Amino acid sequence: MQHAYGSTQAQRRSARVLVVDDDPTVAEVVAAYLDRAGHVVDRAGDGPSALARLAAHRPDLVVLDLMLPGMDGIEVCRRMRADGPVPVIMLTARGDEEDRILGLEVGADDYVTKPFSPRELVLRVESVLRRSRPPAAPGHRMAAAGLTIDPTGRRVTKHGVELTLTLREFDLLRFFLRHPGRAFSREDLMREVWGWDFGDLSTVTVHVRRLRGKIEDDPARPRLIRTVWGVGYRFEPGGEAN
């Protein structure tokens, strides 16, 4: 099987990627690899500059360093999300688990720990971009428990009110609706929803928690996404709270 990084440019669709990092060497290397992968790259060295570039020309994806001078990556991500959905991959230090989780909590779709392989980062970028694009063929609407998913428009409503979901939250909810009543481990969800065979499972935990906060009437007593102790999670459209 051909490695994703080695696939031809004709098999990709070019995207505009904003790289935000105050280390010019890191930013230059990341930009060079993304450029080789066929993407248009813009760069910013701090939070205010990143927000200005976002306002001037909205990118398809943002690679965002957590440790920025002045306004850190958490605040930049929060402000980006307030302006509308945009996929974000956060760059974090290897030991900063709390910061990585906080990044996911404010809406980052993925993270890569430093030091990292530029090839791995490109693969993560490609994975997030693939999932953020509308499907080539119109998808069927799905509905359960007052929730309606429009796969083509990537929209979700609850009792007719549109919800604001991140890329991964949308994919996670769609996967649950496609498999009601079935228990999945976090490893299963990481493989099926994220498309990875390995990774930090806390990513799944955080996204489930965020999704519950948006679709459950009482997130503290979830009725729809239920915890299956010792296994993982199960979607129950008509279940009782647990």
Side-chain angles (χ1 to χ4, degrees):
M1 180 181 296
Q2 189 175 27
H3 199 282
Y5 185 82
S7 60
T8 64
Q9 186 166 327
Q11 292 174 299
R12 298 189 181 98
R13 292 174 53 188
S14 177
R16 179 174 290 273
V17 180
L18 173 60
V19 177
V20 187
D21 199 307
D22 64 317
D23 185 330
T25 301
V26 173
E28 184 175 348
V29 170
V30 170
Y33 271 77
L34 290 170
D35 180 72
R36 284 174 55 193
H39 301 301
V40 177
V41 182
D42 195 6
R43 290 165 53 177
D46 55 45
S49 299
L51 295 174
R53 283 169 170 75
L54 185 82
H57 198 305
R58 197 164 187 83
D60 297 300
L61 182 142
V62 179
V63 176
L64 176 63
D65 186 26
L66 177 66
M67 299 299 294
L68 293 171
M71 184 189 303
D72 66 17
I74 298 295
E75 182 60 24
V76 174
C77 185
R78 184 179 288 114
R79 295 192 186 191
M80 285 181 173
R81 287 297 187 194
D83 192 48
V86 58
V88 174
I89 295 178
M90 194 162 280
L91 304 180
T92 72
R94 186 170 299 279
D96 295 338
E97 182 177 359
E98 290 185 5
D99 288 336
R100 291 199 297 271
I101 291 176
L102 183 56
L104 295 171
E105 290 282 10
V106 299
D109 296 284
D110 192 7
Y111 67 83
V112 176
T113 55
K114 293 183 176 181
F116 58 86
S117 159
R119 288 174 177 261
E120 177 193 356
L121 178 59
V122 170
L123 288 174
R124 296 293 183 96
V125 167
E126 298 286 355
S127 173
V128 172
L129 286 172
R130 280 196 303 272
R131 292 178 179 273
S132 67
R133 289 166 177 148
H140 296 292
R141 287 176 178 260
M142 293 177 283
L147 298 166
T148 301
I149 293 184
D150 173 11
T152 302
R154 296 191 71 85
R155 289 190 293 268
V156 177
T157 59
K158 179 180 178 181
H159 302 304
V161 178
E162 187 164 354
L163 305 179
T164 302
L165 269 58
T166 67
L167 169 69
R168 296 297 186 187
E169 291 164 1
F170 180 92
D171 289 341
L172 185 60
L173 179 59
R174 180 171 59 176
F175 183 79
F176 276 134
L177 260 69
R178 291 174 60 189
H179 304 281
R182 180 176 170 185
F184 292 95
S185 68
R186 291 188 300 168
E187 290 88 349
D188 292 334
L189 293 172
M190 178 158 282
R191 182 174 56 254
E192 298 295 335
V193 178
W194 275 257
W196 309 337
D197 290 322
F198 61 92
D200 184 352
L201 296 179
S202 65
T203 300
V204 177
T205 305
V206 171
H207 279 81
V208 168
R209 182 166 63 243
R210 283 180 53 87
L211 184 56
R212 280 172 167 167
K214 296 179 180 182
I215 70 171
E216 299 280 2
D217 293 331
D218 181 2
R221 301 180 69 244
R223 178 177 63 85
L224 301 176
I225 302 177
R226 303 188 59 175
T227 298
V228 182
W229 299 109
V231 180
Y233 304 100
R234 181 178 66 237
F235 183 75
E236 289 286 0
E240 299 295 329
N242 67 346

